[in-house]
Amino acid sequence: MKDIFLLDVDDTLLDFHRAEREQLIATLTQSGIAADEGTAARFHVINDGLWKKLERGELTRERLAVERFEILLAELGVQGDAPSLSRSFFEGMPQRAYAFAGAADFLGELAARGRVYAVTNGAKALQRRRISLAGLAPFFTDLFISDEVGHAKPSAQYADHVLAHIPGFVHARAVYVGDSLTSDMVCAERMGVDFILFRKERPEGYAGLLARDYGEALSRIAAL
């Protein structure tokens, strides 16, 4: 029976794509830089690539925050203050907390079965604020945010920290649910726990457990 639940946050419980898109367009527009859905889509690709570098230990979070705007400005061919844009983007993101439909019910069901922990990369002020605003904070026993831990997911140091700070942790009783193969799946492997990929479609080459929605996630967990 599973009663220790490790949950990724962005794009598993909260709609990060929507928040990122809205805040990017607002940030650039406020600075007099034309921005549309295409601009936001390109920023997402840049941001995602840099986060993967962070996950591999090739980049610091501080450098990532500015570099993504440096790259975007260069591609747009416009002048801008990347550090200032980064600050404005970061300051606005905490207000954009959009829980997916059914996320609260899903967490409530898990909380009734055991203990629920957030395992997420990001800044502590940003993630704690967004989780709270989305109404999800009461369901968590604890939050493991990379900024507070001092190491990014899926590093061995991050995984070890989480395991060391969950009282009475038993590998066989834990399950990890997340949307990323490079971050969440690898982190689950390093923790030595079962993993369920939360995606609408099965990625090519992935043969593990898949949940397309919260109902299916609950069914997969119950069957483990």
Side-chain angles (χ1 to χ4, degrees), residues 179-181 197-210:
D179 72 295
S180 170
L181 294 176
L197 181 66
F198 190 76
R199 291 269 192 97
K200 293 297 184 183
E201 303 292 339
R202 180 178 293 277
E204 184 178 353
Y206 176 71
L209 294 174
L210 177 74

Side-chain angles (χ1 to χ4, degrees), residues 44-166:
H44 177 75
V45 172
I46 294 168
N47 197 34
D48 187 59
L50 292 177
W51 272 102
K52 285 182 170 54
K53 291 182 69 174
L54 177 70
E55 292 166 5
R56 296 193 297 268
E58 300 171 3
L59 191 70
T60 66
R61 191 173 59 80
E62 291 74 17
R63 181 57 195 151
L64 179 155
V66 176
E67 186 171 336
R68 56 191 175 183
F69 283 98
E70 291 175 344
I71 295 172
L72 182 65
L73 290 172
E75 290 192 3
L76 294 175
V78 299
Q79 297 295 317
D81 185 337
S84 177
L85 290 171
S86 177
R87 287 191 295 273
S88 296
F89 180 81
F90 181 80
E91 289 168 359
M93 277 295 284
Q95 307 307 316
R96 302 185 187 276
Y98 309 118
F100 287 123
D105 290 339
F106 173 59
L107 290 176
E109 179 63 32
L110 294 181
R113 300 182 187 185
R115 292 174 285 162
V116 185
Y117 297 91
V119 283
T120 177
N121 278 332
K124 61 182 179 181
L126 174 60
Q127 294 300 76
R128 286 189 178 275
R129 179 66 172 162
R130 292 174 67 235
I131 290 169
S132 178
L133 279 178
L136 304 183
F139 300 109
F140 289 105
T141 299
D142 204 352
L143 310 178
F144 295 107
I145 302 169
S146 62
D147 187 30
E148 294 178 334
V149 171
H151 300 282
K153 226 175 37 174
S155 69
Q157 296 95 325
Y158 178 91
D160 289 344
H161 177 94
V162 173
L163 297 182
H165 288 81
I166 295 179

